[in-house]
Amino acid sequence: MPNIIPYLFTKDLRKLSILLFVWFILIAIKVFLYVGAVLFSNNLDYQNYFPMYYRLILFLEGLLMIVIIPLAIQDEPLVSTTSFWFTRPLSRRDVLVTKAGLLGLILILIPLIAEIIILKINYVSFHLILLAVPEILIERLAFILPFILLAAITPRFSRYALAGTILFAAWIDR
């Protein structure tokens, strides 16, 4: 059987292309906001509005992650009799490698590179950047993993959204 991982990866990239385009735009805006913060450090108006814009970008980035994760994971569920590949079985390893690679590249590696660029723009030394990388990765994974687990145990996006809303309400109410 030929290696199907590149096919699944490109299929997922094509399917999520619009969301991924918006994702890259948000990452680029975040980097440019920091470039502006360094360039316009004497501009009081920019410094007043920077936190508001940055929080908006972070909110939109988080919201987009919450949407991208189930759309990528629930496309080929590992269990179900309605799977398109039920008659042409895909190995669980291939599906897992494809989804983990896609989410790792898009939601972890690219924002990590953006954070490193932001740190470099702010004149952080290479040694301190190396010390910050594990913290950035852990922070990213801590945010993403609950949504990955929720997407893996729910069969459709509607159930994912409902379960996520219930869990969020329960978490807020504590």
Side-chain angles (χ1 to χ4, degrees), residues 3-5 8 78 90-100:
N3 189 1
I4 199 151
I5 293 173
L8 290 174
L78 291 178
L90 300 173
S91 74
R92 291 176 189 257
R93 183 191 65 80
D94 289 347
V95 175
L96 179 65
V97 167
T98 302
K99 302 305 178 179

Side-chain angles (χ1 to χ4, degrees), residues 115-132:
E115 291 284 338
I116 290 171
I117 291 170
I118 289 170
L119 290 172
K120 205 63 186 152
I121 288 169
N122 287 305
Y123 306 107
V124 176
S125 70
F126 182 72
H127 173 70
L128 293 177
I129 290 174
L130 286 179
L131 291 174

Side-chain angles (χ1 to χ4, degrees), residues 107-168:
L107 301 181
I108 295 173
L109 187 63
I110 291 174
L112 174 68
I113 292 169
E115 291 284 338
I116 290 171
I117 291 170
I118 289 170
L119 290 172
K120 205 63 186 152
I121 288 169
N122 287 305
Y123 306 107
V124 176
S125 70
F126 182 72
H127 173 70
L128 293 177
I129 290 174
L130 286 179
L131 291 174
V133 167
E135 183 179 341
I136 295 168
L137 289 175
I138 290 171
E139 181 181 305
R140 277 278 199 227
L141 284 172
F143 182 79
I144 292 172
L145 283 177
F147 296 107
I148 290 174
L149 292 173
L150 186 61
I153 63 173
T154 53
R156 291 185 304 275
F157 186 80
S158 58
R159 297 246 176 116
Y160 168 84
L162 181 63
T165 304
I166 291 169
L167 290 173
F168 180 73

